[in-house]
Amino acid sequence: MATDLTTPAGTRFDAAPIQRRTLRLLFVTQIIGGIGLTIGVTVGALLATRIAGTAVSGLASSAAVVGGALLAVPVTRIMARHGRRPGLVLAYLAGALGGVLVVLAAMANVVWLLFLGMALFGGGTAANLQARYTAVDLAEPAHRGRQLSLVVWATTIGAVAAPNFATLADEVTSGIGLPPLAGPFAFSTVAFLLAAAAIFLLLRPDPLLTARRLAAPVPADEPAQVGGGSADAADGSAPDGVRKAGRDGMLAALRVVLARPAARLGIAAVAMGHLVMVAVMAMTPVHLGESHGDADVLKVVGIVLSLHIAGMYALSPVVGWLTDRYGRRAVVLGGIAVLLAACAVSGTAGYDTVRLSIGLVLLGLGWSGTMVAGSTLLSESVPVDVRPTVQGLSDLTMGLAGASAGALSGFVVEYAGYPVLNLLAALAVVPLVALALRPVPVGQTGAETIGGRDG
């Protein structure tokens, strides 16, 4: 499977320079957007507690997760018709608007405005997730996993830096009259606006539209297009032949996925890996709170979750290399194995902080395997004209799976305990193992290259 660059010189774009510029831009905007997103997530539940009370404080994070999942629908619809650039800009602008609404909610002490703001704030999550797909639009097949994982890894820098910015933001904005915990969301708004501006000004030519142009047949008498030239249509939209993709919708995307075994595995790996990760991670702080006093629990939880985040992102370039070296399906299976090990370690750790930390690191690493390999497999398993809509379906499925897991995990721990939660999470990936091990008939892998040929 290789990119189709065998057509006569001068009839195809030189995609390599465009891809390099795209990766550099995505790396920077992921750091900026990651800071904005993580600052809000860091203090969202605390702000909700002050405005609405402890009982509903967890709904703030859930609102952001669900909002990000639902925003994936219009964002990817725009991408399908007009390219990645306007879709990413819309997602960041939605996140910025959400940040403004949260600040207003904190100033006016209005609960419904807070949750509406948090839902729109999820636009930052939608942009973060769609950026990883943007990274592989023009990637060579042998490098898709690594280049997708590089963009995922950039999130680590923003996530690590964000908590320090949260304290600074609160101190700075308190001087201009903003209430406590509102300042970080003001900083998030600025960060999202900066990321949106960078994407709007610099993501040219659009990588998705360029990939579509490369996939389309080129008449022998077409004028030469040399490297770096714009692949966009004159009006900035997709060529006429692919505008239909924007009207297909999620049902059509579902039909595409169901028709392709590789796409089914890709979307299932992303969703189930996320479900297991969220279910166990969300209740670990609660479990630790049962054995630590108020003075110690925040410090312990901070350490354990920091190690978990490191497991999710720090090794993603290695996971990407393994995905390219040994195959997408093999890394999905490896991610499943690590998730099972994580559930076994966490579920039997009791209140041992060291063992719980090991379990949460493994949980993050297993998530990375299913996320990177599953996203790469899904992206290359569908035709380029419907790729954004299918990717939007994947993000919607993943977000709803995570939100459901987070909501139900509390009831499981309340009535059955933390070990049972880990057992149920492990059982949830059993169908994914069967799907990953299922033989794929020859000619039905569904892999698509930039050149449009089946692999």
Side-chain angles (χ1 to χ4, degrees):
M1 184 170 62
T3 303
D4 183 8
L5 298 177
T6 59
T7 52
T11 62
R12 292 282 182 184
F13 295 109
D14 181 5
I18 302 173
Q19 175 68 356
R20 287 194 294 269
R21 291 198 302 271
T22 298
L23 287 176
R24 287 195 293 266
L25 176 62
L26 291 175
F27 192 87
V28 173
T29 54
Q30 282 292 92
I31 295 174
I32 297 172
I35 290 174
L37 182 63
T38 309
I39 286 177
V41 171
T42 300
V43 302
L46 295 175
L47 181 59
T49 299
R50 294 197 176 190
I51 296 177
T54 303
V56 297
S57 60
L59 294 179
S61 298
S62 296
V65 172
V66 174
L70 295 178
L71 281 168
V73 177
V75 165
T76 54
R77 190 177 183 87
I78 288 174
M79 287 180 174
R81 299 193 66 180
H82 303 292
R84 298 290 186 187
R85 184 165 60 95
L88 288 174
V89 169
L90 173 65
Y92 278 125
L93 290 180
L97 176 59
V100 171
L101 294 182
V102 171
V103 172
L104 293 176
M107 296 175 66
N109 209 41
V110 178
V111 176
W112 68 264
L113 188 60
L114 170 69
F115 290 121
L116 175 61
M118 289 302 297
L120 288 172
F121 191 80
T125 302
N128 180 288
L129 293 173
Q130 284 299 313
R132 78 191 193 277
Y133 290 128
T134 305
V136 298
D137 282 331
L138 291 173
E140 292 282 350
H143 299 149
R144 284 173 180 155
R146 275 169 282 189
Q147 293 182 355
L148 183 147
S149 67
L150 182 66
V151 173
V152 172
W153 181 76
T155 307
T156 310
I157 301 175
V160 170
N164 299 316
F165 282 103
T167 302
L168 175 63
D170 216 29
E171 293 175 352
V172 171
T173 56
S174 63
I176 60 174
L178 291 186
L181 301 178
F185 284 95
F187 266 51
S188 294
T189 298
V190 174
F192 289 153
L193 289 175
L194 287 174
I199 292 292
F200 179 77
L201 295 173
L202 301 176
L203 192 61
R204 299 170 184 268
D206 190 285
L208 178 61
L209 300 186
T210 304
R212 284 172 171 169
R213 187 68 63 87
L214 287 169
V218 178
D221 58 348
E222 180 177 298
Q225 300 283 358
V226 295
S230 174
D232 301 4
D235 62 354
S237 63
D240 290 339
V242 297
R243 287 180 184 171
K244 174 180 175 293
R247 300 189 295 269
D248 283 344
M250 290 294 166
L251 289 178
L254 180 60
R255 289 194 293 268
V256 171
V257 170
L258 293 177
R260 293 169 179 256
R264 293 201 299 270
L265 175 58
I267 199 170
V270 170
M272 295 308 300
H274 196 65
L275 182 147
V276 172
M277 187 273 291
V278 171
V280 176
M281 181 272 295
M283 286 298 106
T284 299
V286 176
H287 179 64
L288 286 169
E290 296 174 354
S291 61
H292 293 80
D294 293 340
D296 297 327
V297 66
L298 290 180
K299 294 180 181 179
V300 174
V301 168
I303 293 172
V304 173
L305 293 188
S306 293
L307 291 172
H308 169 64
I309 292 173
M312 289 174 64
Y313 296 116
L315 294 180
S316 57
V318 177
V319 175
W321 177 82
L322 292 171
T323 298
D324 290 333
R325 177 66 177 82
Y326 296 104
R328 290 53 161 143
R329 192 176 296 261
V331 175
V332 167
L333 285 168
I336 294 170
V338 176
L339 286 174
L340 292 173
C343 292
V345 172
S346 299
T348 59
Y351 298 107
D352 187 331
T353 304
V354 174
R355 290 185 64 186
L356 281 171
S357 297
I358 294 173
L360 268 290
V361 169
L362 291 174
L363 187 70
L365 187 58
W367 174 90
S368 183
T370 56
M371 170 65 72
V372 171
S375 298
T376 304
L377 181 62
L378 177 67
S379 296
E380 65 190 10
S381 298
V382 297
V384 67
D385 59 336
V386 297
R387 190 175 295 163
T389 311
V390 170
Q391 291 163 343
L393 174 65
S394 177
D395 284 352
L396 176 63
T397 304
M398 180 187 72
L400 295 179
S404 300
L408 294 175
S409 60
F411 292 101
V412 174
V413 170
E414 174 70 21
Y415 294 105
Y418 185 73
V420 173
L421 174 66
N422 280 269
L423 175 61
L424 293 177
L427 292 175
V429 298
V430 172
L432 183 58
V433 175
L435 185 61
L437 292 176
R438 181 180 179 183
V440 179
V442 176
Q444 294 186 19
T445 59
E448 293 283 341
T449 69
I450 293 175
R453 298 178 303 183
D454 289 335

